[in-house]
Amino acid sequence: MAPRWQSNNMTAAAGPTQDEAAQEILVFGPFRLVPSQRRIERDGNPLHLSGRAFDILLALARQAGNVVSKAELMATIWPGAAVEENSLRVHIAALRKALGDGNDGVRYLSTVSGQGYCFVAAVSRPDQRQPAPTNPAYVHNLPAHPRQMVGREQAIQDISERLRTQRFVTVVGPGGIGKTTVAVSTGHALLAEFGGHVHFVGLGETGNAAPVPAIVASSLGLPVRSNDPTSSLATLLHDRRMLLILDCCEHVIEAAAALAERLYQAAPELHILATSRELLRVEGEFTYRLPPLPSPPEKAVLTAENALAYASVKLFVERAAAGGGEFALSDANASDVGNLCRRLDGIPLAIELTAGHVGVYGARAMVQLLDQHLNLLWEGRRTALPRHRTLRATIEWSYNLLSEPERVILGRLSVFVGSMTLDAARSIAVTMEDDDTILTIIDGLVAKSMLALNTGPQPTRYRLADSTRAYAQEKLAASGDAGAISRRHARYFLGLLEKVSDKSDRDLSAATEEFGNIRAALMWSFSDQGDRKVAVALAAASIPLFFKLSLLAECELWVTRAIEAFDETTGSIRHGIVLHTALGAARMLTGQLDELASNHLNRALELTEKIGDIAGQIRLIDQLHLLQLFAGKYDIALSTAQHGEAVALASNDSLAVARMRLLLGISCQYLGKFAASRSYIEAALLQPGLEVEAHGRLTLEYPRRAQISLARVLWVQGYPDQAAQMVRRAISDVIAANHPVMFCRALPWAFGIFFWNGDTEDCEDHIDRFIVEARRHNLAILQMVGEAMKGITLLARSETGIGLAMLRGSIEKLQSLSFGAVAGLRMPLAEALAATGHGDEALDTIDRAIAEARQCNFMMDMPDMLRARAEALMHKSNPDLAQAKLSLVQALDVARNQGALGYELRAAIGLARLWQRGGHRQEAHDMLASVYQRFTEGFQTRSLVTARGLLAELSPPRSCSFAAK
């Protein structure tokens, strides 16, 4: 749903009806715009604008908050005329000058780079069904109406409504959230309703021991004749309808609370609006917690246009423009600005102070500054109250109002990154205090708006704003307790991870919520001030979480450091196992198919054998097997699977036996032994529990692995419909698992079936997501495989140029990483080259593929490679039909020996066409028919449709039996 202000503006953008246009009035700042009279006033005085400037202003103001493109503006202002963009810029400049745009920080127009212009001031539309009333000159003491208020329209409306019904509202929130601005704006909004009787009393600049009743009485003009004029105030206000605003009550909270309660009870016509960083906690009080300005979510894809839908970004852009620097919101910097606003917790003061410096540093550099440390000293307006001139002053004001125990606990809680549970907060904060005392202090920090409380549908969590956290960390460091608290923090999250690992279901959802804290604990543990023993244990315990989140490169970083710090003579063997396993697996998946990855997996296997951990051996054999497949060591992979089967059989673990037979089935596929492959996989599938979820365990498996492997065999053996049905169900289950690494492991193995059946369109969306996920998670080899699959799909729909470039590029990258199955990808490249008239290059490509395949015994695609070689020979600059026939005959022979009916049909189609070309129609027909007749399904798939059409061409007119099939 769009923000309320945006919805209003979007409605206005459509333009008023004829009746509405006659009464339309737009008000912003001191200006009043009456379109029907083509009149604009500033504080009641006419302002002279050119006709074009007036039209531009009207078009932009009607769509306030939305970006209006330059083309749209020019079409509106100069309809049907050819006008240069420079003319629009001239009128915009004149309009800015007339409005005083930029003077004293006031902004109305913002240039959105590459997009157009946006009217950034708040626009209101008075009730235009009645003539605009002449406002009486109310006598009040309200501060001037804030002109740059952004995103608080709904808050003002809600508070006004509460004041009408509840009479007593306290606006609560942390420093800099904009409580005073909202209170003053609410006062102005209710002036007419209270007949001008709105009175503002600012308590922020008074001392802690200030006599609040005397200050209020003096402000109202009541002579003070006693030390406590509360009774006189109650008498004065008893029958008066008034809105009394008590601003900044927190440092005189007791006195302000007592006075407000007494006046609320004694004066039934009095309405009270208070602002404070904590509740007054008195009779009649309704609390309104002022929320931060909405900021873009972390993974939002932002453009200049959609970023302005967030009030925090809109405020940032206004204040950046007012700062006078060279800054314009653009698609290029929108994400950085959104990140800044989110990191500043949507706190208006923090946003204003930061935005004022973006012209000097740039948005990207300021994100880096925030990552290093918040700059708490950036200065704001000279005219601001002292507590609001810097972010430090704002936080310090609140900090000084805390008790000493509250200050100590706030410093300890600053060790947390992001949010924390109550249990975590108590565990880290407690020292000598008893548990009830800690709870009381935490409640006090929440009440004083130093600690935010999330009470949504999720379990309750607490959070320090980043600015408050930075300040509190300074205090913690100065206390000398930072090291002890950081150690306690690291041990707490180590305990949390170890507790999760002890559970049978390995539910990592709680640990996932704490990932920022776990990362911070790792950083401290490995630092110069850290604890190496905790660091090693924490790195080992974190591994399932890194794999669940698919953060493999970061996992490799911490595990490498842990292995360097790990002493195998005194350290836990189980720590050694998980560390070496994780490093080998992470290196493999990130494309490092080197001896180092193999060495780490073999070292982990040795340790599991040392302690007799059969389940661990099975998992490691699985991973070694995958590494060997990736590296093209297919015979070694078969031996590894056979060793795994022997270990499983010796342990009498039927599930382990099934898993190893699945590996045997996969190895046999690569070696072209399809009957054996099917037998192994079907035997594995008879074992219940083969598809048990991994629950965060370090694993490279994926859902329906056995089914996808079996589907490939079924297609090769001539069952394309069963294969397609099985693989579609399997991929749906993989997607439902919502695990990027599993998804990226599964799709390439399933892709062949879509391709062979001519259904590449069915999985193209999957391929696009695959490439994004593989890139995001640094799965180098899988990303390149994804790019190859994308290239193949582009070639399938005749987008030859880009398809060839993408496929060729991915093959070169995979070759550089020694990826074993790269030979299989050269085959579609050779086919595409042959089809586009590059027969000689196609022949070189497929000959290289065949040589590579034979060298490593990659026989899975050998029949198709030989068929592709024949195609290349036929498309050479000097076609060699004899050699082409020989290659096709070889393809048929290899396919028959492998029991690969699917490949046999593809080769038979090629040979039939070659014989047809030579006039041997009957021989071609009989040979192709003998293959076609062995199929029992799949008659709508690409190869069978092609074969049926070719048989119809080769058959005499009287023989049409195959068409019926």
Side-chain angles (χ1 to χ4, degrees):
M1 176 181 262
R4 186 176 295 266
W5 63 266
Q6 186 185 30
S7 298
N8 292 339
N9 289 334
M10 289 173 69
T11 301
T17 66
Q18 185 173 355
D19 290 340
E20 291 169 339
Q23 302 178 33
E24 186 183 20
I25 299 171
L26 305 175
V27 177
F28 53 94
F31 297 98
R32 189 166 179 268
L33 184 64
V34 187
S36 63
Q37 301 175 17
R38 293 191 64 78
R39 177 183 177 85
I40 180 170
E41 298 173 351
R42 180 184 183 123
D43 294 325
N45 300 313
L47 183 70
H48 298 291
L49 291 177
S50 70
R52 300 294 191 198
F54 185 95
D55 290 338
I56 292 169
L57 174 60
L58 180 59
L60 292 172
R62 279 176 170 165
Q63 298 196 57
N66 296 320
V67 178
V68 183
S69 70
K70 296 173 184 177
E72 183 181 345
L73 274 174
M74 289 190 288
T76 301
I77 310 306
W78 293 277
V83 180
E84 293 184 357
E85 188 177 308
N86 187 54
S87 298
L88 177 61
R89 285 199 294 267
V90 169
H91 288 292
I92 289 284
L95 182 57
R96 281 184 163 139
K97 183 177 180 181
L99 296 176
D101 190 55
N103 296 341
D104 299 324
V106 178
R107 294 298 292 179
Y108 298 104
L109 303 180
S110 176
T111 303
V112 182
S113 178
Q115 302 271 337
Y117 299 95
C118 180
F119 195 88
V120 294
V123 175
S124 63
R125 290 171 168 79
D127 188 349
Q128 294 150 18
R129 291 170 296 181
Q130 301 295 330
T134 302
N135 288 329
Y138 293 127
V139 178
H140 62 81
N141 74 334
L142 280 173
H145 197 299
R147 291 179 181 172
Q148 275 76 50
M149 187 183 64
V150 173
R152 293 306 193 193
E153 293 82 358
Q154 187 62 45
I156 292 168
Q157 182 178 329
D158 292 343
I159 293 167
S160 299
E161 186 58 36
R162 284 294 179 182
L163 278 170
R164 294 185 186 102
T165 58
Q166 304 288 335
R167 285 184 48 223
F168 184 179
V169 175
T170 301
V171 179
V172 178
I177 199 73
K179 299 183 295 296
T180 300
T181 298
V182 167
V184 170
S185 299
T186 302
H188 280 280
L190 295 176
L191 266 174
E193 191 166 327
F194 282 91
H197 299 300
V198 177
H199 199 80
F200 180 89
V201 181
L203 301 173
E205 301 311 304
T206 62
N208 291 352
V212 172
I215 292 171
V216 174
S218 176
S219 175
L220 286 166
L222 179 68
V224 179
R225 296 187 176 92
S226 67
N227 291 332
D228 184 3
T230 301
S231 295
S232 299
L233 274 170
T235 301
L236 173 70
L237 299 173
H238 179 267
D239 295 322
R240 295 178 65 175
R241 177 171 168 76
M242 174 186 282
L243 173 60
L244 176 64
I245 301 175
L246 301 176
D247 184 51
C248 197
C249 297
E250 58 268 5
H251 70 305
V252 287
I253 193 74
E254 298 295 337
L259 176 64
E261 184 176 55
R262 176 71 184 279
L263 295 180
Y264 174 78
Q265 293 168 340
E269 293 297 314
L270 179 67
H271 296 245
I272 301 172
L273 176 58
T275 73
S276 176
R277 300 187 189 187
E278 63 175 306
L279 300 176
L280 302 187
R281 296 205 301 271
V282 294
E283 179 190 342
E285 177 187 33
F286 176 86
T287 305
Y288 183 90
R289 287 201 173 271
L290 190 61
L293 292 177
S295 299
E298 188 169 358
K299 294 183 180 180
V301 178
L302 295 180
T303 63
E305 183 174 1
N306 65 24
L308 284 170
Y310 297 94
S312 60
V313 174
K314 189 179 179 187
L315 176 64
F316 187 97
V317 171
E318 280 193 15
R319 301 312 301 157
E326 295 295 324
F327 173 80
L329 186 67
S330 65
D331 290 349
N333 64 25
S335 292
D336 289 325
V337 172
N339 193 7
L340 282 169
C341 293
R342 184 174 57 255
R343 290 288 310 280
L344 294 168
D345 299 290
I347 296 175
L349 178 64
I351 292 170
E352 289 187 18
L353 294 175
T354 304
H357 298 268
V358 72
V360 177
Y361 295 97
R364 177 62 54 84
M366 294 190 76
V367 171
Q368 294 169 351
L369 281 173
L370 285 182
D371 286 338
Q372 295 161 10
H373 210 280
L374 282 157
N375 193 322
L376 301 175
L377 296 175
W378 277 333
E379 293 189 352
R381 301 188 308 274
R382 295 182 190 276
T383 55
L385 294 171
R387 67 179 185 273
H388 285 168
R389 286 181 189 164
T390 68
L391 201 50
R392 175 179 292 280
T394 298
I395 299 167
E396 205 158 59
W397 168 273
S398 296
Y399 186 81
N400 289 336
L401 298 177
L402 301 179
S403 66
E404 185 57 31
E406 286 173 332
R407 294 177 187 179
V408 170
I409 298 305
L410 184 70
R412 292 173 186 168
L413 296 182
S414 70
V415 74
F416 287 97
V417 174
S419 62
M420 69 201 86
T421 63
L422 178 59
D423 179 69
R426 287 159 59 184
S427 298
I428 275 63
V430 70
T431 49
M432 299 300 293
E433 298 90 347
D434 62 63
D435 197 48
D436 289 341
T437 302
I438 291 294
L439 288 175
T440 301
I441 293 173
I442 290 174
D443 287 344
L445 291 172
V446 172
K448 294 175 182 179
S449 301
M450 297 298 283
L451 191 62
L453 175 62
N454 168 29
T455 56
Q458 300 299 321
T460 299
R461 296 183 70 85
Y462 298 83
R463 186 180 188 279
L464 285 171
D466 280 358
S467 51
T468 304
R469 178 174 177 261
Y471 181 88
Q473 280 184 320
E474 292 181 8
K475 297 296 185 182
L476 178 64
S479 73
D481 290 337
I485 297 302
S486 294
R487 178 175 284 101
R488 191 182 303 170
H489 176 267
R491 287 184 178 278
Y492 175 84
F493 287 104
L494 171 59
L496 175 70
L497 289 168
E498 289 179 340
K499 191 184 301 181
V500 169
S501 68
D502 290 338
K503 294 181 179 179
S504 59
D505 61 356
R506 300 292 291 273
D507 182 5
L508 288 169
S509 56
T512 301
E513 188 76 26
E514 303 292 356
F515 180 71
N517 282 300
I518 291 168
R519 178 186 276 156
L522 284 164
M523 292 175 68
W524 176 83
S525 299
F526 281 108
S527 71
D528 293 339
Q529 297 78 35
D531 184 325
R532 289 297 181 274
K533 186 175 181 181
V534 172
V536 170
L538 187 59
S542 302
I543 288 166
L545 182 60
F546 280 111
F547 270 74
K548 175 180 173 61
L549 298 176
S550 300
L551 297 174
L552 301 181
E554 186 171 354
C555 181
E556 183 180 346
L557 167 69
W558 295 118
V559 169
T560 299
R561 295 185 69 178
I563 289 174
E564 291 170 354
F566 182 67
D567 183 352
E568 289 199 357
T569 60
T570 59
S572 161
I573 289 181
R574 293 199 177 276
H575 281 164
I577 290 171
V578 296
L579 291 170
H580 286 292
T581 301
L583 187 53
R587 290 184 68 84
M588 169 175 39
L589 285 174
T590 53
Q592 302 168 86
L593 307 181
D594 51 17
E595 287 302 314
L596 185 56
S598 179
N599 291 342
H600 281 292
L601 291 177
N602 276 308
R603 178 56 184 151
L605 183 57
E606 291 171 8
L607 292 173
T608 58
E609 291 170 347
K610 184 175 181 179
I611 62 173
D613 180 2
I614 300 298
Q617 291 177 55
I618 295 299
R619 287 195 297 272
L620 281 159
I621 288 169
D622 194 341
Q623 292 176 42
L624 270 172
H625 179 264
L626 179 60
L627 175 60
Q628 289 156 358
L629 293 180
F630 274 9
K633 300 176 180 179
Y634 303 114
D635 290 319
I636 295 175
L638 178 63
S639 298
T640 297
Q642 289 168 338
H643 170 65
E645 184 188 33
V647 170
L649 287 169
S651 68
N652 291 319
D653 185 338
S654 58
L655 180 57
V657 172
R659 291 180 60 195
M660 292 302 98
R661 285 180 176 162
L662 174 57
L663 300 193
L664 285 165
I666 293 170
S667 290
C668 287
Q669 280 194 46
Y670 278 96
L671 297 170
K673 301 175 181 180
F674 297 112
S677 174
R678 181 173 177 178
S679 176
Y680 279 126
I681 296 170
E682 288 180 337
L685 282 168
L686 293 174
Q687 173 61 43
L690 185 65
E691 293 288 340
V692 171
E693 188 179 349
H695 292 296
R697 187 186 69 234
L698 171 55
T699 179
L700 302 180
E701 295 181 21
Y702 52 86
R704 306 300 179 192
R705 184 184 184 192
Q707 284 84 348
I708 292 175
S709 301
L710 178 59
R712 288 179 61 90
V713 179
L714 288 172
W715 188 93
V716 168
Q717 290 186 329
Y719 304 99
D721 285 346
Q722 292 181 54
Q725 187 178 24
M726 186 176 291
V727 85
R728 284 196 179 97
R729 283 199 305 263
I731 289 297
S732 294
D733 289 345
V734 172
I735 291 170
N738 194 28
H739 191 291
V741 172
M742 290 181 179
F743 174 69
C744 292
R745 283 273 290 109
L747 190 63
W749 198 238
F751 173 73
I753 294 166
F754 292 104
F755 175 65
W756 294 326
N757 280 351
D759 296 333
T760 51
E761 288 184 8
D762 288 355
C763 70
E764 192 160 2
D765 288 343
H766 298 331
I767 294 171
D768 291 337
R769 178 191 163 192
F770 176 102
I771 294 170
V772 170
E773 295 286 11
R775 183 183 297 118
R776 177 181 297 154
H777 297 290
N778 196 32
L779 307 176
I781 282 181
L782 293 174
Q783 179 188 334
M784 296 166 199
V785 170
E787 291 168 357
M789 293 190 297
K790 182 68 174 179
I792 292 168
T793 60
L794 291 170
L795 290 170
R797 62 169 187 249
S798 301
E799 295 186 30
T800 307
I802 186 171
L804 274 173
M806 184 170 279
L807 181 55
R808 185 183 277 120
S810 63
I811 288 172
E812 290 172 357
K813 294 174 191 174
L814 288 167
Q815 184 68 34
S816 69
L817 293 175
S818 303
F819 181 62
V822 72
L825 295 173
R826 294 191 196 279
M827 181 179 60
L829 176 61
E831 288 183 294
L833 289 169
T836 54
H838 300 85
D840 293 331
E841 184 182 355
L843 183 60
D844 291 341
T845 300
I846 196 62
D847 280 346
R848 181 176 180 182
I850 291 171
E852 289 172 346
R854 284 175 171 157
Q855 184 177 0
C856 63
N857 208 13
F858 176 67
M859 300 301 292
M860 175 191 290
D861 295 331
M862 185 57 70
D864 236 19
M865 290 182 185
L866 292 167
R867 178 196 57 77
R869 184 173 189 272
E871 294 291 333
L873 287 163
M874 288 188 284
H875 287 86
K876 281 180 59 180
S877 52
N878 295 310
D880 191 337
L881 301 185
Q883 282 297 315
K885 176 183 175 182
L886 180 60
S887 288
L888 287 167
V889 171
Q890 289 176 338
L892 279 170
D893 288 343
V894 173
R896 285 178 186 138
N897 289 334
Q898 291 180 344
L901 182 59
Y903 284 147
E904 188 178 349
L905 178 65
R906 287 160 68 88
I909 290 170
L911 185 57
R913 281 176 172 159
L914 183 59
W915 282 348
Q916 181 187 33
R917 184 174 175 177
H920 303 286
R921 295 172 62 89
Q922 191 61 47
E923 291 176 81
H925 175 276
D926 293 346
M927 180 273 302
L928 181 57
S930 68
V931 178
Y932 184 91
Q933 287 175 326
R934 288 155 55 199
F935 280 87
T936 58
E937 63 176 61
F939 296 104
Q940 301 307 312
T941 58
R942 180 172 58 183
S943 293
L944 285 159
V945 168
T946 301
R948 187 163 62 250
L950 184 54
L951 284 169
E953 290 178 28
L954 295 170
S955 297
R958 62 181 178 276
S959 177
C960 300
S961 58
F962 296 108
K965 218 170 185 182

